[in-house]
Amino acid sequence: MEDAYAVEDTYDVVVVGGGPGGEVVADRAVRAGLSAAVVESGAVGGECSYRACVPSKALLRPGAARAAARSVDGARQAVTGALDPARVLARRDRFTARGDDSGQADWLAGAGIPLVRGHGRLAGERRVEVTGADGAVRTLRARRAVVLSPGTDPALPPVEGLDRIGVWTNRQATTSDAVPERLVVIGGGVVACELATAWRSLGSAVTLLVRGRSLLGDWEPCAGEEVARGLTALGVTLRFEAVATRVTRDAATRAVTVETDDGAALVCDEVLVAVGRRPRTEDLGLHTVGLTAGDWLPVDDTCRVTAVDGDWLYAVGDVNHRAPLTHMAKYQARVCAAAIAERAAGRPADTGAWQAWDARAGHAAVPQAVFTRPEVASVGLTERAARAAGLAIRAVEYRVGDVAGAALYADDHRGRAKLVVDEGRGVVVGCTLTGPLATELIHTATVAVVAEVPLERLRHAVPAFPTVSEVWLRLLETYGL
């Protein structure tokens, strides 16, 4: 019987979601000789390009640059003015093109990847139904694989009135064209800390409501401590163990009142909620392949969805809940495309050289960078996580400001460095850095963790003098080498 699907609607790989992971997996599949199409209902490039990583870093950089200049005597006296909010926001818009994805769409076309505009849903094995803006439905068929990369949405906590007053999430907080005079941020994680830093540097009076006793709760304690110190120095009000219970917005003044569990009432112009993410899988057609709508999609080390039989359904990026970071979505996409290509050729998918996570201890080589003031960065396991994994570890710390290169870089340089060493193997399994350049320095630690470089060899990687990287020499000396 002749196939009922038109030739132009059949591809080797159909990718649902044109964010960082979706773009890369389609590109890698095409490079491997397969055909691929990308389905996208919003802007190609995804959340990161327009409403998360890129605009938030564009908002943060001017304040960091000003602070860096003012950290050195002689330069400090030349920097006397405040930031220009209008120019900062205009610079952000140059990076995001205000959501115009024509450049990204052109890139897909140049790579030989058709872009199908519309909302994609699974419609059974190897089939995706796409509903366009006009309501027309088109069905795509995948010969080899369907890759789901829909991303996530901001999660809202169960606070009375929160879903009715028009609160900010990362999307509004990274795209706003005006600086709120007063901003209340609910959350204590990366997004909350970064955006509190950005809007405070632009002039907002910011209050951070943190449910727990510290910031960045899954990190080494020193990271949260240093970020808390930095936010306080910027003028951010930190309220720990504070839970918002009710929010209301005045219809006339548009002011928002945030009530907390200790009886306080905070009045502000906007409320930013940054308490986590939820998978964008409610309307993805998961039920047609036996999965539950709204769930995360667990995968194996080739990004194949484990709850579906056969080697045809994959999930990359935040939706698989492995490592919700843009750079890891791209990494997973490379792994996924390689596996699909190998299986299409009738060969087993060997990802041994690709795995950024260690089966013995979890996601052991995932770098993270937070652009607060001070910056903080980490890779691998915290001391607590390493001990919980049963590793025999030893942790060493060093004050980065005691390194000559750091003292030259900034007057009164503050920063902390911590290594977690697996004593049994003699290798670094975790590193956390705080202070200026932490986000750039972390890649050295990433290489050490991924390559499992023995400390006896690592000691011969001599850092140049006088650089901040000399902290590596000091950490190894503190360890006893």
Side-chain angles (χ1 to χ4, degrees), residues 366-381:
V366 178
Q368 299 183 77
V370 185
F371 294 82
T372 44
R373 273 186 266 157
E375 295 179 352
V376 298
S378 72
V379 66
L381 303 174

Side-chain angles (χ1 to χ4, degrees), residues 332-397:
Q332 291 174 12
R334 298 193 293 273
V335 172
C336 180
I340 292 169
E342 289 296 293
R343 286 168 176 153
R347 297 187 293 267
D350 178 10
T351 60
W354 294 90
Q355 294 174 19
W357 36 83
D358 187 328
R360 291 164 298 192
H363 305 305
V366 178
Q368 299 183 77
V370 185
F371 294 82
T372 44
R373 273 186 266 157
E375 295 179 352
V376 298
S378 72
V379 66
L381 303 174
T382 62
E383 179 179 356
R384 181 174 63 247
R387 293 190 188 282
L391 299 181
I393 64 98
R394 180 181 166 201
V396 295
E397 298 188 44

Side-chain angles (χ1 to χ4, degrees), residues 61-72 75-76 79 373 409-411 436:
R61 180 56 191 156
R66 179 180 181 275
R70 289 184 58 80
S71 71
V72 178
R76 181 182 304 118
V79 182
R373 273 186 266 157
Y409 183 84
D411 300 342

